[in-house]
Amino acid sequence: MGLLRQFPVRVSDQLRLSTDRFDLGIMQRGAKRELQVVVLHRDEENRQERIPVVFSPAADAKTGLQHIRYPVTTRVQGREVTLHITLDVIIK
């Protein structure tokens, strides 16, 4: 049960995520934040894959609170799979 608590977001029977939502706080345009989402591959003996996420608000990004859908790519049984997480950020 410990792994299910560490990876509460169920994507499928084979995949779970540590989280699917990140609070990036307040960011200026052009600033950069790096974080990692961790994917649990249950069909691969519970292999944990750390996927880096780098976010930088574009110069023309709207100001204020934004909820940005961000793609994350992994491989499952030899094929590429795109998952989506949400980045919550206040852009100044």
Side-chain angles (χ1 to χ4, degrees):
M1 191 63 146
L3 278 178
L4 297 182
R5 285 189 184 153
Q6 285 180 283
F7 298 90
V9 181
R10 181 186 179 278
V11 176
S12 70
D13 288 341
Q14 293 81 28
L15 292 178
R16 296 184 75 92
L17 298 176
S18 56
T19 185
D20 61 352
R21 187 167 218 122
F22 290 89
D23 181 355
L24 300 180
I26 300 171
M27 292 182 69
Q28 301 289 330
R29 289 181 185 96
K32 180 169 81 169
R33 292 257 166 83
E34 297 181 34
L35 51 104
Q36 291 185 352
V37 63
V38 184
V39 178
L40 176 68
H41 293 267
R42 298 207 48 163
D43 58 335
E44 295 178 24
E45 298 180 20
N46 292 327
R47 177 175 67 89
Q48 296 179 26
E49 175 187 15
R50 296 184 183 282
I51 300 175
V53 173
V54 178
F55 176 73
S56 181
D60 61 348
K62 272 180 28 180
T63 58
L65 178 61
Q66 306 294 319
H67 306 286
I68 299 164
R69 191 167 185 242
Y70 191 94
V72 175
T73 304
T74 187
R75 294 192 76 74
V76 177
Q77 298 176 345
R79 64 182 172 85
E80 206 169 82
V81 175
T82 300
L83 312 170
H84 287 90
I85 60 172
T86 301
L87 304 177
D88 297 321
V89 60
I90 297 173
I91 299 174
K92 289 229 169 197

